[in-house]
Every structure is written in C-alpha cells, then in structure tokens.
Amino acid sequence: MKIATVTGAVQADQLGKTLMHEHLIAGLSGWELDNQAPRHKRADIIKLCVDRVQELQAAGYKTLIDPCPNDLGRDVGIMGEVGARTGFNIICSTGFYNQEMGGNAYWQVRSTWDKDFVDRVADVMIRELTDGAGDEGIKPGIIKLASSHLPMTDYEKKLFAAGAKAAVATNTPITTHTEAILGDQQLDYLTSHGVPANRIVIGHCCGSSDHHYHMDLIGKGAYIGFDRFGIESIRPDEGRAESLLQIIRAGGTKGVVISHDSVWCMRGEMIPANMAAAMSEAPLRFERQIVPKLLAAGAAKQDIDAMLVDNPRRYFAGEARPA
Ligand SMILES: [Zn+2]
C-alpha cells in the first residue's frame, strides 16, 4: 500500500525508523490576536525545522508523523518544504482537535443544527485525503481525532464518527489525542464505526501508570502511543519508562509506538518560554536516555526495533499484528 507523505507517496517498508507524534509547528487558535508575541519568519521556521530533521537523520530516523489537526495551527506548506529540503518522510494529518482546545467555534455551532454534520466533516477530511490540503495540495497520510479530560462530548463523538467514516472510505489510519484516559472509549467508538483496531493509535497513553489500561488496549488490537517522552510536567520520563518496561515484560511490545510530542515552533506565547524551548529540542530523548535504560533493564534490541520500525510499518500498511 502507498502511504502519503508531504513529498509524495512511499511504500510502508521505506518508512524505516519512525517517530509517531512530533510537531514542526502548532498553535492554539487565537494566537494570531496576540500582537505582542514574536512572529517568526517563514524562512526561520523552515531553517529551524530542517536543523531538527537533520539531527534526527543523523540518529538514523527516516520518518516522522506530524498529527497536527486542521484547527491547531497546521501548516502543510512548511512541512512540504522541510520534507523536500531534507528527503525526510513527513506524514501530515487531517482532522479536528477536541472541544476544549480546538479552534472549533465554527464547527461547534454548525454541529448544533446541521443534520448532516458528520457527513460534512467526513467530506472535509476525505477531500484533503483525496485531493490534498492547503494551497499546495499536500496529501495527509493519517487522520487525527481528540478527546479531553472529560467524557467525550456530543461534538467530539460526531467528529469521531466523521473521522471513522473518512478512515473507512479512504483506508487511512487514525491517531488520537487523549489525556491518558478514555482511550478505551475512543477505541470502542471507532471500532464500532468500522475502523479496524490495528489502524488506530491511541495517543499519549504513557501519561497513565495503569498497566491494565495499556494491556487492555493492546489486547484489543490497537497501538498505544508512548509518545510524550520529555514532557516531564505531565509525567516524568522515569515513570513512562517504568510503564514501558512493564509492557515489554508482559509481551506487549507489538502494540507500542514511540514519540515525544515535541513542538519545534510554537505559535504565539501560550506557555512559558523555558517550557517552549524544552519542547522545541530535537526529539531524541527516547534514543539517548530511555533506550539505554530499557536495555540495561533487560529489554531486547528487537523490542526497540519493533516499537520504532516494525509497528509503524505494519500500522501504515494495514497488516495484521503478530499474535
Ligand atoms: Zn501532539
């Protein structure tokens, strides 16, 4: 199966070592009203992102997924240019963020009266997946959906139904944002709308210390994201690594993908500058700090390769997971 990157289609076995959730550029809607926050020039953003990608390339990475939804400051043109300059596979997404944090006022209002709302949103995604997004017509290779700390709202359920419809219509995989809870609800909802579990990554599961939560999702056939290494304010890496070791020891490696949720260029000044600077570092924490700890604690090299190479390939190819 061909997988859409921002610079054209590739085969699944060309993905290689893959980070499943990083961001070149992102920002909460409203940043554009902050006339005191610095505005980064496009050329400077591109240069910064090229530098980061080259650091990843030096560490053997070939691919990253930037699952920025359409309403969170997504810029597919910048991704396309960075991909073209580096030869790195960047996979962008189509989708909508949660009710709390997404730029959802237009869609939220529409969802209250439009009887065809789910179809309308599904068509937004299907058009992007088929014809491309932005002025450049760059094709997304993944669908992004999100819930929050709260139970899924009606609006979010409609977005999930739309995402599932687009996923089934175009044979595209889905990745989600969670607050390390409700992954089971997301998975049940998506599979009941026809999306196979092996085409779903439940994101940010490493924020939970609940081993049963992790193994339940893996047991149901989904992938779980250990995709926030380095965001110590939410959960220290030590705890994330400890949970990951538990999963590896329980034979769950086949259901885990890895990343950092770094944001290389944050639009506006939503968070303190020191936090933004930490998030904009090249996402190599897993490689440099976590892998040595896992190996020292008894994980095998194959476990690491499974999470960084085999699982992303299988997920994008739509191959069944090994038993
Ligand atoms: Zn993210």
Side-chain angles (χ1 to χ4, degrees):
M1 192 195 310
K2 290 272 196 180
I3 295 133
T5 79
V6 295
T7 42
V10 299
Q11 299 289 345
D13 56 12
Q14 293 174 263
L15 297 177
K17 223 165 123 181
T18 300
L19 291 171
M20 287 290 286
H21 191 129
E22 312 291 349
H23 300 283
L24 279 65
I25 181 164
L28 289 180
S29 174
W31 73 274
E32 64 282 1
L33 308 178
D34 187 352
N35 60 11
Q36 290 144 79
R39 302 275 158 135
H40 302 288
K41 290 201 189 83
R42 188 182 161 85
D44 294 341
I45 297 169
I46 288 169
K47 184 182 179 314
L48 179 112
C49 293
V50 166
D51 287 349
R52 294 287 179 274
V53 163
Q54 287 172 344
E55 287 179 71
L56 295 182
Q57 287 174 313
Y61 286 90
K62 299 248 182 300
T63 302
L64 73 76
I65 287 68
D66 181 338
C68 184
N70 305 24
D71 53 351
L72 212 63
R74 187 187 67 167
D75 190 324
V76 295
I78 285 177
M79 295 188 218
E81 197 153 337
V82 173
R85 287 203 195 178
T86 56
F88 196 71
N89 298 319
I90 298 173
I91 296 174
C92 73
S93 78
T94 185
F96 288 74
Y97 209 48
N98 60 30
Q99 182 154 11
E100 191 175 49
M101 307 264 276
N104 55 51
Y106 174 93
W107 294 98
Q108 205 180 314
V109 170
R110 190 168 180 122
S111 75
T112 62
W113 60 265
D114 183 356
K115 289 188 181 53
D116 300 321
F117 181 76
V118 169
D119 291 340
R120 176 76 173 214
V121 174
D123 284 345
V124 169
M125 300 186 201
I126 291 168
R127 280 187 194 210
E128 288 202 347
L129 291 161
T130 309
D131 302 332
D135 297 337
E136 301 83 359
I138 288 172
K139 282 188 190 171
I142 198 164
I143 292 167
K144 172 70 173 287
L145 299 166
S147 61
S148 74
H149 293 97
L150 308 165
M152 282 170 75
T153 64
D154 287 345
Y155 171 73
E156 286 162 355
K157 284 180 183 167
K158 286 174 185 171
L159 296 181
F160 271 66
K165 189 180 174 206
V168 171
T170 61
N171 196 13
T172 303
I174 291 177
T175 193
T176 75
H177 169 94
T178 68
E179 296 293 341
I181 54 167
L182 302 177
D184 40 357
Q185 194 186 344
Q186 288 187 349
L187 182 60
D188 290 348
Y189 198 76
L190 291 171
T191 53
S192 74
H193 284 73
V195 184
N198 69 334
R199 299 290 272 163
I200 300 168
V201 171
I202 301 296
H204 307 337
C205 288
C206 51
S208 169
S209 59
D210 185 347
H211 181 62
H212 297 288
Y213 176 72
H214 295 145
M215 294 307 292
D216 176 56
L217 292 168
I218 294 169
K220 286 176 174 161
Y223 293 95
I224 63 173
F226 266 61
D227 51 9
R228 280 190 146 176
F229 282 105
I231 307 191
E232 301 237 341
S233 57
I234 296 177
R235 189 179 182 208
D237 276 359
E238 199 175 330
R240 295 182 200 270
E242 192 54 45
S243 291
L244 184 50
L245 263 175
Q246 268 188 295
I247 294 168
I248 292 169
R249 287 180 182 136
T253 309
K254 64 197 171 196
V256 181
V257 293
I258 299 295
S259 228
H260 307 75
D261 204 4
S262 62
V263 181
W264 303 347
C265 184
M266 185 100 58
R267 295 187 192 267
E269 285 177 322
M270 179 192 71
I271 57 173
N274 60 337
M275 260 171 92
M279 286 184 81
S280 85
E281 284 168 17
L284 286 164
R285 265 201 185 222
F286 181 75
E287 182 85 18
R288 290 178 180 160
Q289 293 173 33
I290 307 299
V291 169
K293 279 187 192 156
L294 297 177
L295 294 175
K301 177 80 170 61
Q302 296 95 288
D303 292 319
I304 312 300
D305 291 345
M307 296 187 288
L308 289 174
V309 181
D310 303 334
N311 296 347
R313 185 201 66 235
R314 206 177 285 118
Y315 164 76
F316 277 104
E319 282 172 29
R321 261 197 7 210

